[in-house]
């Protein structure tokens, strides 16, 4: 029977080293969900970066890319180190500090998105030559922006719950 700490640790970001050969558990699925939501958030933030000009209403985009990239890096390092057969080279303090940092990042992003004026902003695309000629971008409208913004906000708050 694993210790309570190992059960909590496994539920946060995946299987422990002793789970080899067992079917997928709830903890493995939650790890996959956190990584999947992180990839989705990174894709949405990258999509916003490619379409939107960074200004006061879109300051969340670079921060979202940073949070997603840092989360993927930290989670993958923790997962790889936890699977090593020679033992886990990361101490418990380091592991908890990294997870606390991730929770703080996701909480900051979620709070920033929830309190931002970007939530109800109108999106218009202009040509790069002059900012007076309105351009229609296929597949991107104000409704699409709002839907993707809400997904980014919801997934960041779900990641706070699962990783922090």
């Amino acid at each position: 029977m694993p210790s309570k700490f190992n059960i909590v640790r496994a539920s946060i970001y995946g299987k422990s080293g002793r789970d080899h050969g067992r079917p997928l558990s709830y903890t493995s699925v939650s790890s996959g969900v956190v990584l999947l939501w992180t990839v989705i958030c990174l894709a949405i933030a990258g999509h916003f970066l490619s379409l939107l000009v960074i200004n006061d209403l879109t300051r969340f985009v670079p921060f979202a890319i940073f949070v997603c990239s840092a989360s993927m890096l930290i989670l993958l390092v923790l997962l790889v180190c936890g699977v090593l057969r020679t033992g886990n080279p990361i101490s418990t303090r380091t592991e908890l500090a990294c997870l606390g940092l991730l929770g703080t990042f996701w909480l900051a992003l979620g709070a920033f998105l929830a309190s931002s004026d970007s939530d109800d902003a109108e999106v218009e695309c202009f040509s790069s030559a002059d900012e007076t000629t309105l351009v229609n971008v296929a597949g991107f409208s104000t409704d699409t922006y709002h839907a993707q913004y809400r997904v980014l906000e919801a997934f960041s708050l779900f990641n706070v719950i699962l990783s922090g």
Side-chain angles (χ1 to χ4, degrees), residues 57 60 112-123 142 145-147 149-150 153:
L57 290 176
F60 68 90
F112 188 54
L113 290 170
S115 64
S116 176
D117 291 334
S118 302
D119 190 18
D120 54 351
E122 291 291 323
V123 178
T142 299
Y145 167 78
H146 288 297
Y149 185 88
R150 287 186 198 104
E153 181 181 354

Side-chain angles (χ1 to χ4, degrees), residues 13-160:
Y13 60 86
K15 300 187 326 186
S16 66
R18 297 181 189 169
D19 287 344
H20 296 294
R22 293 186 186 168
L24 285 177
S25 64
Y26 171 76
T27 58
S28 301
V29 173
S30 70
S31 169
V33 168
V34 170
L35 285 174
L36 177 68
W37 287 346
T38 302
V39 169
I40 290 171
C41 288
L42 183 62
I44 290 172
H47 179 69
F48 283 161
L49 185 67
S50 69
L51 291 177
L52 303 175
V53 175
I54 302 300
N55 59 21
D56 288 341
L57 290 176
T58 58
R59 281 185 291 187
F60 68 90
V61 175
F63 185 59
I65 290 174
F66 167 75
V67 169
C68 294
S69 301
S71 294
M72 287 181 59
L73 177 69
I74 290 172
L75 284 174
L76 290 176
V77 166
L78 290 175
L79 282 171
V80 167
C81 288
V83 174
L84 293 176
R85 295 192 183 266
T86 59
N88 193 350
I90 297 177
S91 70
T92 303
R93 286 183 194 163
T94 306
E95 190 173 333
L96 289 175
C98 289
L99 292 175
L101 182 66
L102 282 184
T104 304
F105 281 163
W106 283 110
L107 181 62
L109 180 61
F112 188 54
L113 290 170
S115 64
S116 176
D117 291 334
S118 302
D119 190 18
D120 54 351
E122 291 291 323
V123 178
E124 295 177 337
C125 299
F126 295 100
S127 66
S128 59
D130 60 348
E131 295 200 9
T132 58
T133 307
L134 194 61
V135 177
N136 288 329
V137 177
F140 193 74
S141 65
T142 299
D143 293 334
T144 305
Y145 167 78
H146 288 297
Q148 291 177 353
Y149 185 88
R150 287 186 198 104
V151 168
L152 189 61
E153 181 181 354
F155 283 7
S156 65
L157 293 174
F158 287 150
N159 278 345
V160 169

